[in-house]
Amino acid sequence: MPLVKFQPLPTTKVYPFGLINSIFDRNLADFVGHDGHANFQPSVNVSENDQAFLLELVAPGFEKSEFSLRVENEQLIVEGKRESTTEQTEKKYNRREFQVSSFQRMFKLPKTVNQDSVQAVYENGVLKITLEKIAEVKPVPKTIEVA
């Protein structure tokens, strides 16, 4: 007998709100199932210090070669694409929650970012992107001698 997720409508919750919340708190996939190819958007943390902005995208299960980063029209575009293997497509699943997915995230870059020095490192399921800031040119006071 296969193992299948079963979540009946609640009989222990107070009617009518328990029943209504139970129905509307579910997504369509809970009623009809899904094929594991849902839209995937990695969570992002953005931090800043005096020298750079740091973006951290959580994307476990990807390989370094599956990422693509580019700067276009003052935007950083980060893409990840995973292809399904033959083993994944030939298996018959009773329930599938592992995803073979792709994503694209776009970030508008401030004018203070040096677009030529973007660096990325992927380790432990986190893609860390460093966006160095342009050193601000401070006006140098100029002394003028009176002749």
Side-chain angles (χ1 to χ4, degrees), residues 67-80 103-109 115-116 118 120 127 129 131:
F67 290 106
S68 167
L69 284 83
R70 67 183 186 277
V71 175
E72 228 175 72
N73 299 324
E74 297 182 1
Q75 289 188 332
L76 173 66
I77 302 168
V78 181
E79 295 177 313
F103 69 88
Q104 181 184 58
R105 297 291 307 256
M106 300 171 77
F107 304 93
K108 182 158 178 53
L109 298 176
Q115 296 182 9
D116 296 326
V118 177
L127 179 64
I129 304 168
L131 304 164

Side-chain angles (χ1 to χ4, degrees), residues 6 14 37 68 122 135:
F6 178 70
V14 178
H37 294 281
S68 167
Y122 181 68

Side-chain angles (χ1 to χ4, degrees), residues 5 9-10 12 16 41 44 49 52 54 77 82 85 87 92 107 111 116 120 127 142:
K5 180 181 175 184
L9 294 175
T12 58
Q41 286 293 319
V44 179
N49 59 35
L54 178 65
I77 302 168
R82 293 178 58 201
T85 63
E87 178 185 325
K92 181 179 181 318
F107 304 93
K111 302 252 186 245
D116 296 326
L127 179 64
K142 184 176 180 182

Side-chain angles (χ1 to χ4, degrees), residues 9 11 16 26-28 30 35 45 48 62 66 77-78 87-89 99 105 112 117 143 146:
L9 294 175
T11 57
R26 295 181 180 192
N27 63 26
L28 184 60
D30 290 335
D35 62 359
N45 288 338
E48 176 184 7
F62 281 80
E66 296 172 325
I77 302 168
V78 181
E87 178 185 325
Q88 290 172 325
T89 56
Q99 295 182 20
R105 297 291 307 256
T112 58
S117 66
T143 307
V146 178

